[in-house]
Amino acid sequence: MSRTERTAVPSHAADSHDLIRVQGARENNLKGISLEIPKRRLTVFTGVSGSGKSSLVFGTIAAESQRMINETYSSFVQGFMPTLARPEVDVLEGLTTAILVDQERMGANVRSTVGTATDANAMLRILFSRLGQPHVGSPQAYSFNVPSATGVGQMKVDRGAATTAEKRTFSVTGGMCPRCEGMGSVSDLDLAQMVDESKSLAEGAITVPGYSADGWYGRIFSAVVPGDVPVSQFTKKQRQEFFYGEARKIKVEGINLTYEGLVPKIQKSMLSKDVDAMQPHIRAFVERAVTFQACPECEGTRLAAAARASKVAGISIADACAMQINDLAVWVRGLDEPSVAPLLRGLAHLLDSFVEIGLGYLSLDRPAGTLSGGEAQRTKMIRHLGSSLTDVTYVFDEPTVGLHPHDIQRMNTLLLQLRDKGNTVLVVEHKPEMIVIADHVVDLGPGAGTAGGEVVYEGDIAGLRTGGTLTGRHLDYRARVKAAVREPTGTIEVRGARTHNLKDVDVDLPTGVLVVVTGVAGSGKSSLIHGSVAGREGVVAIDQAAIKGSRRSNPATYTGLLDPIRKAFAKANGVKPALFSANSAGACPVCNGAGLIFTDLGFMATVSTVCEECEGKRFDSSVLEYHLGGRDISEVLEMPVTEATDFFAEGEARTPAAHTILERLEDVGLGYLALGQPLTTLSGGERQRLKLATHLGEKGGVYVLDEPTAGLHLADVEQLLGLLDRLVDSGKTVIVIEHHQAVMAHADWLVDLGPGAGHDGGRVVFEGTPAELVAARSTLTGEHLAAYVGG
């Protein structure tokens, strides 16, 4: 065979599978879209918030990949795994194993730290169990989650026809501090915040959320102590029983229940949970009634005395976990111990990965629940850096969230490294700095919600710029620095701020203007504002925590909009408001107000079908006979916000309380959302704006917003800036923690923290107007802002 003939032979058939093909995707608002995504390339999915990006990437491609992998396991193993339904799509071809790196906060378990959430703590425990002097025991002797325990007992052993009794003893040496049980802090309850002693139980003496006088808690306590006598007049025995009574069974109204004193009940039900994971009203009570302080015995390290006394090269495991990770990496590399050389190499690589990804400023003892969405996402990325896997699909959800423009460049490098190892990288993103490095771009739109769900552009960056889509038009948009800034009306003084890495910061934040606090990730922005400003009277703080809700929750229930609507329906028809709740008296009796019937098929995916009785409307048929302004309650919940705003503005349906909430939803750009759309179907950006709209109704003169541009398209950012301007023009002070250059340029006053992260930050490096920062270029932020506005 000649050389020419040899080169004409077609390549191997296996090499032809270089595309992921999607046909007829209909998940959520997707309108039967079809597209081809190149493998071993970096593809960015963009479009306005709510256009269907997450539905396509996470709800269709990644979901089907995970479902098919789960099906390769035996039915026994699948029984222990989450069941996944097949996405609404006609054809999915060319899928590879998908690894999801999303923005979900890391588990807010109070015992979870950065070290335990990665493999760092496990490696350190092995290191100290091998080298620590004095020797304490196995690795669990250095774990704050393992208590020390000893026991002696007798057991019977059958051997043939004979039965012998054997005495057994066991001993476990754990590293848990016995005083705080590995929590690092101890708590005291302020009884005055829990009980109004001037009242009786029947009058509502217990002020704990959920402990109403006419509820079950009120009845249980009244069965043990007098319910009609003020608490201040209880006898000594009654006080002891009421506050500290031991758990025991009692009978209340013929029902067997467990009685327990108020203090131990609160400690078990509320104090065992992480404060950051609580519902807002319970969190407010806990912060008011409970004083947390570092455990005096372990000094907040969570570890028993023996574990703290064992050291390697003069450092205990508590010292190592408290060190900044980039410093700990230097210490580990300085250890020369051939007996544990592989362990030291692995630990050093892991710690270097933290530094490489821009998290070197964290410490291993940092509670996982305190990490921002961006920090949590990057922490999850660490296990994939240096992985030997290739030909897998990495799926990222806005990896630039929480990143300064300086840090985005580093993130771009990491994503390109993953691609260059032969992996397919799919990224949902809004930031132009990341969109421009894409090999392939899929732009969804043209609008959000029902106006989206279509592929409006597919191709390279050059074509996106000239394609005429909303993303293409805004890709090279650059905000200009304000020509004139507002004059402040006063100042908010912060003196001696020392939260986390802050170094006795003194700063005056002007009031009556738009203040933007910026700086690289980990420089101390959130520590300064949430630690020294957010808790003050008249300050409404809106943090990054994601809103939570089941499929029964929707914008109407979350914002409190449904309450005035139910009352308006009840008043117009002369019936009780509970009838107009799908979670209460008005629910369809067949589906219990869910609108769907769910059939559990064991290890196979649960099947959901629309309820035939209510046809998915969720309400009993008798309830739908009641009307307000010619509409029944199910028709009102199907209305988009814009239509509902007009509906409740005038005429028979005029409801000022509902109209006010609807106007706030329009202000944040959610006019297209249906009032009854389940929260589980909303995108991250939509949830962020829904939360913002809810907080805008709170009374206060100062609003604190933590990265409000998270999840927002370039076009949505303009609308957000308009909202911020309206807030300031109405007499409010708005303080924004933000990295987005358009928001920085729009500020009246900038406070820049740095110069670096962790112990290299924590200082105010600039205060002034955006124009002054651009002119000075004295900080990293100044350099990036100058490059941005000059573009």
Side-chain angles (χ1 to χ4, degrees):
M1 187 185 289
S2 68
R3 183 176 178 183
T4 308
E5 290 174 318
R6 282 200 305 270
T7 54
V9 175
S11 59
H12 198 288
D15 297 332
S16 62
H17 301 284
D18 54 358
L19 293 171
I20 297 174
R21 294 183 179 85
V22 182
Q23 289 182 14
R26 297 178 301 280
E27 198 69 20
N28 294 330
N29 68 330
L30 298 180
K31 295 173 180 170
I33 65 175
S34 300
L35 71 157
E36 295 183 342
I37 302 163
K39 287 185 182 177
R40 294 174 287 280
R41 297 291 184 271
L42 173 61
T43 301
V44 171
F45 295 79
T46 187
V48 295
S49 176
S51 59
K53 304 181 298 297
S54 295
S55 297
L56 174 61
V57 180
F58 289 91
T60 303
I61 298 170
E64 179 65 356
S65 173
Q66 288 198 314
R67 189 186 71 84
M68 296 182 80
I69 290 168
N70 288 0
E71 285 188 351
T72 64
Y73 296 102
S74 68
S75 58
F76 174 76
V77 174
Q78 288 183 54
F80 296 96
M81 304 173 80
T83 54
L84 301 168
R86 189 182 188 280
E88 287 286 323
V89 61
D90 294 334
V91 178
L92 268 176
E93 292 179 344
L95 291 179
T96 66
T97 304
I99 296 175
L100 274 65
V101 188
D102 58 23
Q103 281 183 44
E104 286 295 316
R105 293 291 186 97
M106 299 186 75
N109 188 312
V110 72
R111 293 185 177 279
S112 180
T113 65
V114 170
T116 60
T118 59
D119 293 329
N121 260 40
M123 291 181 173
L124 273 178
R125 290 197 297 270
I126 298 171
L127 177 68
F128 275 82
S129 71
R130 301 294 184 270
L131 303 180
Q133 293 297 329
H135 179 71
V136 178
S138 65
Q140 64 186 9
Y142 297 89
S143 171
F144 53 76
N145 286 327
V146 180
S148 294
T150 57
V152 179
Q154 190 164 308
M155 60 185 289
K156 290 182 178 180
V157 182
D158 291 331
R159 289 193 175 94
T163 300
T164 59
E166 295 183 7
K167 186 178 181 181
R168 296 284 176 92
T169 63
F170 79 91
S171 176
V172 175
T173 303
M176 178 187 287
C177 168
R179 170 73 189 276
C180 64
E181 297 184 355
M183 299 288 192
S185 63
V186 290
S187 57
D188 289 321
L189 282 164
D190 183 354
L191 298 184
Q193 296 289 345
M194 297 165 55
V195 177
D196 182 352
E197 297 201 13
S198 66
K199 296 180 180 178
S200 67
L201 295 182
E203 293 168 338
I206 304 176
T207 57
V208 180
Y211 284 63
S212 60
D214 54 353
W216 274 111
Y217 286 125
R219 295 183 220 175
I220 291 171
F221 282 112
S222 297
V224 176
V225 294
D228 54 355
V229 176
V231 176
S232 59
Q233 295 178 22
F234 280 5
T235 65
K236 188 174 181 180
K237 185 177 180 181
Q238 287 169 343
R239 286 185 68 85
Q240 175 66 23
E241 196 63 62
F242 175 56
F243 284 111
Y244 303 104
E246 292 185 4
R248 64 180 187 274
K249 294 289 183 184
I250 64 169
K251 188 164 277 192
V252 179
E253 299 176 16
I255 300 172
N256 290 321
L257 297 167
T258 301
Y259 174 81
E260 191 173 24
L262 186 61
V263 170
K265 195 158 196 70
I266 296 299
Q267 286 175 330
K268 288 179 183 176
S269 64
M270 294 185 182
L271 303 193
S272 61
K273 298 175 182 174
D274 184 26
V275 178
D276 294 320
M278 294 177 178
Q279 292 176 291
H281 66 292
I282 296 177
R283 180 176 173 178
F285 162 74
V286 170
E287 289 173 344
R288 185 174 71 247
V290 183
T291 55
F292 293 94
Q293 60 185 37
C295 173
E297 189 164 313
C298 67
E299 298 177 341
T301 62
R302 306 171 180 237
L303 290 162
R308 300 198 308 274
S310 179
K311 298 187 176 182
V312 174
I315 296 290
S316 71
I317 191 169
D319 298 331
C321 289
M323 292 168 72
Q324 196 162 297
I325 287 175
N326 50 12
D327 295 335
L328 180 60
V330 173
W331 178 76
V332 168
R333 280 196 295 272
L335 297 176
D336 185 15
E337 294 289 344
S339 62
V340 290
L343 176 65
L344 289 174
R345 280 197 300 273
L347 181 56
H349 173 75
L350 178 63
L351 297 173
D352 286 341
S353 296
F354 270 100
V355 178
E356 185 181 352
I357 210 163
L359 295 177
Y361 60 87
L362 295 177
S363 59
L364 295 182
D365 62 3
R366 170 89 173 262
T370 66
L371 297 181
S372 69
E375 287 171 334
Q377 188 176 36
R378 283 183 287 158
T379 301
K380 294 174 196 172
M381 277 184 73
I382 285 167
R383 66 180 64 251
H384 306 303
L385 297 176
S387 167
S388 300
L389 288 173
T390 60
D391 255 334
V392 298
T393 300
Y394 285 99
V395 185
F396 292 93
D397 187 7
E398 287 193 67
T400 61
V401 165
L403 293 190
H404 188 273
H406 172 70
D407 300 311
I408 291 176
Q409 296 173 351
R410 180 184 281 164
M411 178 61 74
N412 285 350
T413 303
L414 293 170
L415 293 177
L416 292 173
Q417 285 174 358
L418 282 175
R419 178 203 65 186
D420 293 345
K421 282 171 57 180
N423 297 306
T424 304
V425 182
L426 308 181
V427 183
V428 174
E429 189 51 79
H430 292 294
K431 292 281 180 67
E433 299 96 319
M434 183 158 283
I435 296 173
V436 295
I437 69 164
D439 302 307
H440 189 73
V441 179
V442 177
D443 191 16
L444 279 87
T450 54
E454 301 173 31
V455 175
V456 292
Y457 174 78
E458 190 181 355
D460 59 14
I461 288 294
L464 178 66
R465 283 194 163 99
T466 59
T469 67
L470 196 61
T471 304
R473 293 197 302 272
H474 283 82
L475 192 62
D476 294 317
Y477 166 77
R478 295 292 182 266
R480 296 292 170 200
V481 172
K482 274 185 178 176
V485 295
R486 300 178 181 91
E487 286 295 321
T489 57
T491 58
I492 298 173
E493 292 185 357
V494 176
R495 296 290 179 266
R498 291 185 293 275
T499 306
H500 294 139
N501 66 329
L502 297 177
K503 299 177 171 64
D504 274 326
V505 169
D506 295 337
V507 66
D508 291 332
L509 301 172
T511 57
V513 298
L514 175 59
V515 180
V516 174
V517 181
T518 187
V520 295
S523 59
K525 305 179 297 298
S526 296
S527 299
L528 175 66
I529 302 304
H530 289 296
S532 300
V533 178
R536 302 188 185 192
E537 190 175 346
V539 176
V540 177
I542 307 168
D543 59 21
Q544 291 181 16
I547 67 172
K548 294 179 174 64
S550 68
R551 55 178 169 249
R552 288 182 177 271
S553 304
N554 52 54
T557 58
Y558 182 80
T559 59
L561 171 65
L562 199 56
D563 290 334
I565 291 177
R566 283 201 303 253
K567 289 174 184 174
F569 265 94
K571 185 177 179 182
N573 295 281
V575 293
K576 60 182 181 180
L579 280 177
F580 304 98
S581 170
N583 298 325
S584 186
C588 166
V590 177
C591 63
N592 294 321
L596 300 169
I597 301 292
F598 297 94
T599 308
D600 185 3
L601 299 177
F603 67 87
M604 298 178 73
T606 299
V607 176
S608 61
T609 53
V610 175
C611 174
E612 294 180 2
E613 179 70 21
C614 66
E615 298 178 341
K617 294 182 178 180
R618 303 176 61 195
F619 291 91
D620 186 82
S621 56
S622 61
V623 175
L624 300 181
E625 293 175 5
Y626 299 115
H627 291 78
L628 176 70
R631 307 274 186 116
D632 64 43
I633 184 67
S634 69
E635 290 172 333
V636 167
L637 291 177
E638 288 172 3
M639 286 184 183
V641 169
T642 306
E643 184 182 342
T645 307
D646 296 334
F647 179 75
F648 288 106
E650 55 191 24
E652 183 197 344
R654 184 175 181 274
T655 310
H659 186 257
T660 302
I661 296 172
L662 288 162
E663 282 188 318
R664 287 201 292 267
L665 287 170
E666 278 198 310
D667 282 343
V668 297
L670 294 178
Y672 60 88
L673 273 191
L675 303 188
Q677 184 175 337
L679 289 190
T680 50
T681 65
L682 301 189
S683 69
E686 287 169 332
R687 290 180 179 219
Q688 179 86 349
R689 284 182 286 168
L690 185 62
K691 181 179 176 180
L692 177 59
T694 306
H695 284 287
L696 289 178
E698 297 179 23
K699 288 184 168 59
V702 180
Y703 284 93
V704 171
L705 283 70
D706 196 345
E707 292 196 55
T709 62
L712 293 192
H713 186 266
L714 302 164
D716 296 324
V717 172
E718 289 183 53
Q719 184 163 8
L720 175 70
L721 293 176
L723 173 63
L724 299 181
D725 277 339
R726 289 196 296 277
L727 280 173
V728 176
D729 293 338
S730 69
K732 308 287 187 186
T733 299
V734 179
I735 301 172
V736 182
I737 302 169
E738 190 55 78
H739 293 293
H740 202 295
Q741 295 103 317
V743 181
M744 294 182 205
H746 201 72
D748 298 306
W749 191 258
L750 278 175
V751 176
D752 193 17
L753 276 84
H759 58 46
D760 297 324
R763 292 188 290 270
V764 175
V765 293
F766 175 82
E767 291 177 80
T769 65
E772 291 168 349
L773 180 59
V774 168
R777 296 191 183 215
S778 55
T779 67
L780 273 174
T781 304
E783 291 174 14
H784 284 279
L785 184 58
Y788 175 84
V789 298

